[in-house]
Amino acid sequence: MLGQGARAAVGRFWAPVVTRLARAGVTPDMVTVTGTLGAIAGAVLLIAHGQLFWGAATVTVFVLLDMLDGALARARGGGSAFGAVLDSTCDRAVDAAVFGALVWWYTGAGDDRLLALLALVALVLGVLTSYTKARAEGVGIPCDVGLVERTERLILVLTGTGLTGLGLPYLVDVGLWLSVVGGAITVAQRIAAVHRGARGKAAPTASAPAR
């Protein structure tokens, strides 16, 4: 729910920009790729090297930019199947960069193995959260439940990381712990929802595990 509300608020804020971009011929895929590359650069070049505030701020700006792609697609008359797959793939790349950068920092100069482990577990749970939904919908089972989805996860981690970079202690710890606990609950919620939705349904004969 927070994710949908956040996207709606960002969409309203950027509406004038979206109109200008559409008139200028900018495509949603261009926005997706630009936002992804910028966010990855912020994570790898700043967060991974201990510049936690500026890294979190940079990633946040480019993640917000990436949220324009859906509004831009609607302004141009609708998106494409390729654009939808590209957007989801780029989202996973940004998530991996952000949490991977935290793992890199805290296993190196940051010297906190527990936080590195939490970042790694949060990343894995984020992947499972997305995969469970994608796989369920691939076999025709709706799976929209979840306490902590991608938007909430990024808000928790980027806010905690940025405030820790300003010298406020333990906030990245709080963000990571909440991401891990919320992520575990979300995965459990989605598996339970799929279990309920799958009652009486046979698996498609051509269904195969995603690779």
Side-chain angles (χ1 to χ4, degrees), residues 67-95:
M67 287 184 176
L68 289 176
D69 55 8
L72 184 57
R74 290 188 292 273
R76 290 171 58 89
S80 65
F82 172 77
V85 173
L86 177 66
D87 184 56
S88 294
T89 302
C90 287
D91 285 349
R92 303 292 81 73
V94 170
D95 293 351

Side-chain angles (χ1 to χ4, degrees), residues 2-3 63 88 91-92 94-96 98-99 102 118-131 146-161 172 174-184 186-187 190:
L2 176 58
V63 166
S88 294
D91 285 349
R92 303 292 81 73
V94 170
D95 293 351
V98 170
F99 288 97
L102 287 170
L118 289 175
L120 182 59
V121 172
L123 173 59
V124 172
L125 289 170
V127 172
L128 290 175
T129 296
S130 300
Y131 179 82
L147 178 66
V148 176
E149 297 183 314
R150 181 175 185 258
T151 300
E152 291 86 351
R153 193 163 56 247
L154 287 177
I155 288 173
L156 288 170
V157 171
L158 292 175
T159 300
T161 299
V172 69
V174 172
L176 286 171
W177 273 112
L178 289 175
S179 296
V180 167
V181 173
T186 300
V187 171
R190 292 193 169 182

Side-chain angles (χ1 to χ4, degrees), residues 7 10-11 14 18 21 27-40 58-74 83-84 86-95 150-151 154:
R7 281 188 174 269
V10 171
W14 287 110
V18 169
L21 290 175
T27 68
D29 293 348
M30 291 178 186
V31 173
T32 297
V33 172
T34 300
T36 299
L37 293 178
I40 290 175
T58 300
V59 172
T60 299
V61 168
F62 280 102
V63 166
L64 290 175
L65 174 64
D66 182 47
M67 287 184 176
L68 289 176
D69 55 8
L72 184 57
R74 290 188 292 273
L86 177 66
D87 184 56
S88 294
T89 302
C90 287
D91 285 349
R92 303 292 81 73
V94 170
D95 293 351
R150 181 175 185 258
T151 300
L154 287 177

